[in-house]
Amino acid sequence: MGRTIIEKLWDAHSVADLGDGSHLLYIDRVMFHERTGSIALKGLEAAGRKVRNPEQVFGCMDHIVDTIPGRTDETMVPGGNAFITTTRDAAQKAGVNLFDLGDDRQGIVHVVSPEQGIVLPGVTLVCPDSHTCTQGAVGALAWGIGSTEAEHAMATKTLVVKKPKTMRVRFDGQPGLGITAKDLILRLIGEYTAAGGGGYAIEFAGEAIRAMPMEARFTLCNMAVEFGAWTGIIAPDECTYAYCDGRPFAPKAHVWEQALAHWKTLPSDADAVFDKEIVIDCADIVPQVTWGTSPQHETGIDGVVPDPANEPDANRRQSIERALEYMDLTPGTPLEGLPIDSAFIGSCTNARLSDLRAAGAIVKGRKVAAGVKAIVVPGSSQVKLAAEAEGLDAVFTEAGFEWRESGCSMCFFAGGENLGQEKRAVSSTNRNFENRQGPRTRTHLASPAMVAAAAIAGHLTDVRKLEQS
Amino acid sequence: MEKFIELTAIAAPLLRINIDTDAIIPSRELKRVSKKGLGTGLFAGWRYTELGSRIENPDFILNQPPYRDAGILLSGANFGCGSSREHAVWSLAEWGIRAIIAPSFGAIFYSNCVRNGILPVILDDERIATLADIVSANPAENRIAIDLEQQTVVAVDGGTDTFDITPADRRMLMEGLDPIAVTMQRDDEILAFQARDRLKRPWVYL
Ligand code: SF4
């Protein structure tokens, strides 16, 4: 019987079968950031342990650092400075790579890794951050871990991992104009719940994925964890190889040829069997937006806020009731037209160059609605430079958006800068949890173009109604 | 790491689904690069009346007298989803929670528990609802007994449920092992793997 891509990567990295469904897996790359990586590095140091292959460990300053121009080690996050300086000192002592403030490779770890060619098809990569699944988009087995596991991976070059069940999610058909990877993944989560992928490693496949450019694939895999999955992966193809070719840490010359030959063996065999299969028809997906406090609380922009009374399952009903209270929404309210206070374009989900281009095309020649705070935070310093080179910064600032330095910024609230108490935000990020973007901030998730359209209109709106200029 | 062999404790029902790690410990509560001092930040958004305040919200279950001494949490599906922050587990442990019973867990959270002496127990929804009814009737008396060796959960109604856990996780918890030290016993295998792999996949090695 054939093997899935997940099994192929698993087998190639299994150092030992521990006999109970778990394996000792070889870890090719470890990434970290100053929020959780600092604790892992300090933990190793305290235990007198060394990083085994420091050249294969990479860190980014992204979570705590400010994104306002002219930033320094001082940050608006209370106590944040210690995370930055501890990480820097510990990284230096351990001899690992660090993309620090001021380095033009700095940025959000999951954007930087593929950009620099650190994650590659066929590798295992872990990072103490739940959105590590983003990096599965190049055909790698990449998953989020805790700080203690990060210590383990750095010290031993391995992790003990329970073999996941496998699922294939096939996106059939072609999405319509203006429909993005974000809409596809939100639809999947809305349909099958935020726990729908629980315990699975998921291969995203199908016609729509094959036609999808690399950057959109990252968006899709980014939210595998919001689907409850252990991780997501997309089989590498010509699009992947073209993306990886020439990246700073990617293999070169004859080694590249060797790598390529290996990568071509990775896709799931035709007769491979998955533990579960799901098919999503992309043809009738409209732009999606969330109305509640879980990514599963979502609907099309043409939809209305649901009535909990119609939900037969008691747990889900309660979750909807709580969400509506938190979001200050009443059942039956149309999402189209819901006034917003802020619009945030950023995060490892949707702040790559193509995302900024899509949002920029909506914003160009228009103005942000009065009273709306609108912010763009590029996913990496490289993205920022590339966007500036094509004048996107001016497009945004002329419209009234703030143009920031790269980092996680207000994707999450850590006690510092935020989107405001009880303010309604539309955001290109991945989590609409309570207090995620600020104290009692009410987050609606959507694609970058939808966020841009809402910023201009001053309320949630169907981006397809705004003509691109 | 503290060993987990058996536990009989007050159980607090917090039957919401998708309780994420931001809810367990809000990001703003992580003020130092440390695994300690996180107990007071546990469920801060629900436990205190206002943001940043330490005035207790009397409605929140862990603020109510018998449950202040809870050692077990009963919860809804997908407990610990969201951010990978291990602080969620450190804060639960520091507050006094030693076991969590839920229909399912966030994957990263689950492994973080095992590595920090907290036992995650998977039981089905209905049984958890029944357990919640039993303990609510008399929280201080109707304690729940968990035996990791037998892999059982026993309630005062006499009902005994068994749960699954991998032998490796069970051993780690029961013996309070240091996972890195355990793995290092296989160091020869790891180094041999690496030597072979370097020839097979030279493109991985920087
Ligand atoms: S951008 Fe947001 S989701 Fe992504 S790594 Fe940063 S905080 Fe996490």
Side-chain angles (χ1 to χ4, degrees):
Chain A
M1 193 176 73
R3 290 180 302 163
T4 67
I5 182 170
I6 297 150
E7 288 154 342
K8 290 182 189 185
L9 267 91
W10 187 273
D11 294 348
H13 289 87
S14 173
V15 175
D17 180 345
L18 302 179
D20 59 355
S22 56
H23 283 226
L24 190 63
L25 277 197
Y26 188 73
I27 305 299
D28 293 318
R29 308 266 193 268
V30 179
M31 299 213 60
F32 66 91
H33 55 66
E34 79 277 29
R35 181 153 196 81
T36 55
S38 45
I39 292 192
L41 287 169
K42 250 183 67 168
L44 279 183
E45 210 182 297
R49 288 181 166 128
K50 284 207 162 355
V51 177
R52 173 157 265 166
N53 291 98
E55 74 284 1
Q56 295 178 19
V57 178
F58 297 82
C60 290
M61 297 280 194
D62 55 6
H63 274 64
I64 306 284
V65 293
D66 282 342
T67 51
I68 41 172
R71 62 184 169 183
T72 65
D73 287 356
E74 291 312 316
T75 127
M76 287 180 262
V77 176
N81 173 286
F83 287 86
I84 298 171
T85 53
T86 307
T87 302
R88 184 176 297 138
D89 292 349
Q92 201 187 3
K93 273 195 213 148
V96 300
N97 302 281
L98 179 68
F99 304 132
D100 205 341
L101 286 179
D103 188 322
D104 68 8
R105 298 169 298 177
Q106 177 273 343
I108 305 171
V109 58
H110 313 305
V111 179
V112 168
S113 171
E115 203 169 72
Q116 294 299 323
I118 295 166
V119 70
L120 294 168
V123 305
T124 46
L125 180 149
V126 294
C127 172
D129 188 280
S130 57
H131 291 103
T132 307
C133 53
T134 312
Q135 305 186 38
V138 300
L141 207 52
W143 69 99
I145 54 174
S147 300
T148 305
E149 285 195 292
E151 286 180 36
H152 190 287
M154 288 194 274
T156 72
K157 201 69 180 133
T158 63
L159 276 180
V160 176
V161 196
K162 191 175 162 193
K163 200 168 184 180
K165 294 176 286 179
T166 59
M167 184 193 296
R168 177 159 55 194
V169 177
R170 232 175 58 210
F171 288 97
D172 276 357
Q174 279 309 334
L177 205 67
I179 305 306
T180 68
K182 182 65 155 287
D183 303 305
L184 267 47
I185 191 72
L186 280 173
R187 193 70 280 279
L188 173 71
I189 299 168
E191 183 85 24
Y192 291 92
T193 83
Y200 289 96
I202 300 180
E203 180 182 354
F204 294 113
E207 200 186 336
I209 303 292
R210 285 300 134 221
M212 209 178 255
M214 247 354 267
E215 296 197 348
R217 296 183 188 184
F218 290 120
T219 302
L220 196 92
C221 286
N222 176 270
M223 292 189 69
V225 70
E226 308 315 327
F227 185 43
W230 176 66
T231 191
I233 189 169
I234 293 177
D237 57 14
E238 291 305 324
C239 169
T240 320
Y241 311 141
Y243 177 90
C244 295
D245 195 6
R247 304 257 160 200
F249 292 95
K252 307 270 157 24
H254 74 282
V255 191
W256 167 265
E257 294 303 327
Q258 261 177 312
L260 202 58
H262 178 87
W263 295 346
K264 290 187 172 164
T265 67
L266 294 175
S268 297
D269 297 326
D271 57 345
V273 178
F274 289 78
D275 295 315
K276 187 169 180 178
E277 299 248 16
I278 284 180
V279 179
I280 297 275
D281 184 2
C282 298
D284 13 87
I285 295 181
V286 301
Q288 304 288 302
V289 59
T290 62
W291 46 261
T293 54
S294 159
Q296 80 185 45
H297 294 155
E298 65 90 53
T299 182
I301 182 66
D302 53 357
V304 298
V305 175
D307 189 343
N310 298 334
E311 174 56 60
D313 178 78
N315 274 330
R316 289 178 78 164
R317 184 165 60 244
Q318 265 175 18
S319 130
I320 296 173
E321 281 163 358
R322 277 187 62 83
L324 295 192
E325 191 196 323
Y326 181 89
M327 296 296 288
D328 191 30
L329 290 173
T330 40
T333 310
L335 286 159
E336 169 85 47
L338 198 65
I340 57 154
D341 302 299
S342 54
F344 181 83
I345 298 174
S347 88
C348 56
T349 318
N350 272 134
R352 295 178 182 79
L353 188 59
S354 55
D355 297 318
L356 303 193
R357 283 181 182 152
I362 302 297
V363 164
K364 194 170 186 189
R366 297 193 168 103
K367 292 281 182 217
V368 170
V372 172
K373 176 178 163 130
I375 303 164
V376 183
V377 186
S380 71
S381 296
Q382 287 296 307
V383 168
K384 178 171 184 268
L385 290 169
E388 286 171 352
E390 54 187 74
L392 276 170
D393 55 331
V395 168
F396 285 111
T397 51
E398 278 162 23
F401 277 83
E402 288 178 45
W403 180 253
R404 297 290 190 101
E405 295 290 341
S406 177
C408 297
S409 192
M410 283 167 274
C411 170
F412 83 116
F413 170 52
E417 212 184 359
N418 63 75
L419 294 178
Q421 192 135 359
E422 301 192 347
K423 297 288 188 214
R424 192 174 299 285
V426 56
S427 178
S428 75
T429 54
N430 46 37
R431 287 194 176 136
N432 51 350
F433 298 165
E434 291 183 13
N435 307 308
R436 170 76 182 181
Q437 296 194 284
R440 299 204 63 78
T441 299
R442 298 163 180 149
T443 298
H444 296 268
L445 302 175
S447 73
M450 283 286 285
V451 176
I456 302 298
H459 53 76
L460 295 182
T461 188
D462 189 336
V463 59
R464 296 172 304 179
K465 289 185 183 166
L466 278 185
E467 233 174 79
Q468 304 202 357
S469 44
Chain B
M1 194 176 88
E2 203 181 332
K3 293 180 183 173
F4 191 114
I5 296 164
E6 46 186 358
L7 171 76
T8 300
I10 293 176
L14 192 58
L15 299 189
R16 296 178 189 166
I17 56 170
N18 297 327
I19 294 183
D20 59 85
T21 51
D22 285 70
I24 298 170
I25 185 153
S27 217
R28 59 179 184 276
E29 295 288 342
L30 320 185
K31 294 180 188 126
R32 292 184 302 139
V33 188
S34 172
K35 304 179 181 183
K36 303 267 159 54
L38 296 160
T40 55
L42 180 70
F43 293 120
W46 297 337
R47 198 164 138 206
Y48 304 115
T49 51
E50 266 168 69
L51 188 81
S53 95
R54 286 293 186 254
I55 303 167
E56 288 185 357
N57 166 11
D59 296 338
F60 186 61
I61 187 150
L62 297 184
N63 289 332
Q64 295 163 6
Y67 297 117
R68 298 181 87 93
D69 300 316
I72 299 172
L73 267 189
L74 298 172
S75 193
N78 210 18
F79 187 88
C81 61
S83 155
S84 68
R85 73 185 62 147
E86 200 156 327
H87 309 73
V89 172
W90 297 326
S91 70
L92 282 160
E94 196 173 303
W95 190 88
I97 297 295
R98 295 295 320 279
I100 302 160
I101 304 178
S104 59
F105 290 90
I108 304 173
F109 179 85
Y110 186 97
S111 359
N112 285 343
C113 280
V114 173
R115 276 154 192 77
N116 288 280
I118 292 188
L119 173 66
V121 175
I122 299 178
L123 293 184
D124 67 42
D125 259 327
E126 270 174 53
R127 182 58 185 161
I128 292 173
T130 311
L131 290 177
D133 289 343
I134 294 169
V135 301
S136 312
N138 189 347
E141 291 301 319
N142 298 351
R143 295 177 184 229
I144 287 181
I146 303 176
D147 184 330
L148 178 52
E149 179 153 41
Q150 303 296 326
Q151 296 178 215
T152 55
V153 175
V154 182
V156 293
D157 66 345
T160 300
D161 294 276
T162 54
F163 60 90
D164 283 336
I165 183 168
T166 67
D169 285 351
R170 179 159 160 270
R171 180 163 165 247
M172 185 113 71
L173 281 161
M174 288 191 64
E175 298 179 22
L177 298 175
D178 168 9
I180 296 183
V182 174
T183 295
M184 282 316 235
Q185 292 169 0
R186 294 181 177 265
D187 203 31
D188 291 350
E189 279 174 79
I190 298 171
L191 293 174
F193 179 96
Q194 190 172 48
R196 284 196 310 272
D197 189 55
R198 206 180 265 278
L199 298 175
K200 249 197 301 191
R201 300 186 309 149
W203 48 273
V204 173
Y205 293 83
L206 297 168

